[in-house]
Amino acid sequence: MTIRKIGIFTAALFGAWPAATVLSQDSPFGGPEDVEYAATLWEVMTNARLAGENSIKVRPFEGSEPHGTVQEVLSTTATVDGHEGKLLVKRNHGGEGVTIQEVYDNPVEHLAAVTIMFKREEGYDPENQNWFWAKYLPSGELDVNPDGVELAGRVAKGADEGCIACHSAAGGEDLETLTSR
Ligand code: HEC
């Protein structure tokens, strides 16, 4: 809270600084920096076996849309570019009649997407608890929205739909629904 106030105060003092901020807010997600950050994060996740072919197994459970009929969720911490933050990884499984047992036996075959929330540094997105959001395809490439914009960053800040909008409605104070389940 204090930090946010300092931010606004600084912005009022230095004319040039808000200009840069406005630029980055024009596209709250899917920009080159977001995409690069997401790629680094994927590498970190793969190395930690949180994603990729050799992912550690967690107990799958029955879920609902939009996250797939069977899901696996992991809560951990990760370090990206020297910043350590909380990382929530959700592996979304789908397909005709897919069961928990099938996903357990073969976690790769039914994988539809990997959605993540990574807690970034203070000031990244204070209005939304500084989460970095991303939706990867099983290959590690980013999924795109109907306009072809890659789903990484503050997705989709200011929009009525998308990660932030739905988690604000469904989630607790920290936009995580996991803890309240
Ligand atoms: C329409 C609502 C909705 C949208 C859109 C949505 N989510 Fe979720 N998300 C949920 C709900 C509900 C849960 C809790 C469990 C479940 O899936 O039933 C959840 C859980 C999660 C979790 C596991 C941690 C937790 O909070 O429980 C992650 C990570 C996640 N979502 C990431 C994303 C990302 C990234 C996007 C955007 C690409 C996204 N979500 C879009 C509703 C949504």
Side-chain angles (χ1 to χ4, degrees), residues 5-6 17 30 40 52 56 67 75 77 85 90 106 113 144-146 152 154 160 168-172 174 177:
K5 273 186 199 140
I6 292 169
W17 188 78
T40 308
I56 39 175
H67 282 299
S75 173
T77 51
K90 185 193 275 289
N106 191 341
V144 293
N145 72 7
R154 304 165 187 91
D160 298 341
S168 302
D174 206 26
T177 49

Side-chain angles (χ1 to χ4, degrees), residues 66-67 71 88 90 115-116 134 162-163 166-167 176-178 181:
H67 282 299
Q71 314 175 355
L88 300 166
K90 185 193 275 289
T115 43
I116 64 93
C163 318
C166 190
H167 277 245
E176 295 174 42
T177 49
L178 184 73
R181 186 170 45 228

